[in-house]
Amino acid sequence: MSLLDDLFRAASAAREKAYAPYSRFAVGAAVATPGGEIFAGCNVENASYPVGSCAEAGAIAAMIAAGGRRIAAALVVGEGTALVTPCGACRQRLREFAREDTPVHVCGPEGLRRSFTLGELLPLSFGPDNLTNDG
Ligand SMILES: O=c1ccn([C@H]2C[C@H](O)[C@@H](CO)O2)c(=O)[nH]1
Ligand SMILES: [Zn+2]
């Protein structure tokens, strides 16, 4: 079984647990560390709508809490027929721990629809390197 399969399974399982009573749009996400550890998350909405969080944020939080610091690959599972790519805020969240060439796989419930690099989704990005002062 491939890393892609493992990411898809983890994200799909998290998506089953999504708390999305307002949008009724369940999303699951998973990230893999360079060592092959996988962390997943789902969207968690709130009666105060802006307080809700994306699936990607949950997956990244799980990785950080477990001591992970780098994302080697990410995957999102949405629904409907359109591509559910990470929202703008989540592209930036991924950017903190990933590189321009890091793959971001976009799936529907049936499986992979398209793969991007993070650089394609967030070109000319601002990241941690911009804040280092070593010339
Ligand atoms: O990549 C995405 C796109 C949307 N959502 C969530 C946010 C909200 O709960 C619902 C509808 O936007 O889907 C995610 O979690 N990840
Ligand atoms: Zn998002």
Side-chain angles (χ1 to χ4, degrees):
M1 279 294 134
S2 69
L3 178 64
L4 186 68
D5 290 331
D6 292 344
L7 282 167
F8 180 72
R9 255 190 283 279
S12 297
R15 181 172 168 269
E16 300 281 322
K17 303 285 196 295
Y19 178 72
Y22 306 110
S23 71
R24 303 207 163 278
F25 192 81
V27 182
V31 295
T33 66
E37 278 192 289
I38 289 178
F39 300 96
C42 59
N43 53 334
V44 183
E45 298 186 345
N46 193 282
S48 175
Y49 290 6
V51 178
S53 57
C54 289
E56 297 89 330
I60 291 169
M63 179 192 79
I64 294 298
R69 288 292 184 272
R70 276 195 54 205
I71 294 173
L75 180 146
V76 181
V77 184
E79 56 187 290
T81 53
L83 279 180
V84 178
T85 56
C87 79
C90 287
R91 294 175 194 203
Q92 186 67 34
R93 289 190 175 101
L94 291 166
R95 170 68 182 88
E96 186 72 15
F97 307 106
R99 302 187 321 198
E100 280 206 326
D101 62 353
T102 301
V104 179
H105 304 290
V106 176
C107 303
E110 78 291 350
L112 181 66
R113 291 185 180 171
R114 226 176 121 174
S115 297
F116 301 89
T117 64
L118 184 59
E120 289 179 294
L121 297 178
L122 192 68
L124 302 173
S125 65
F126 184 87
D129 295 350
N130 291 102
L131 299 179
T132 61
N133 228 349
D134 56 12

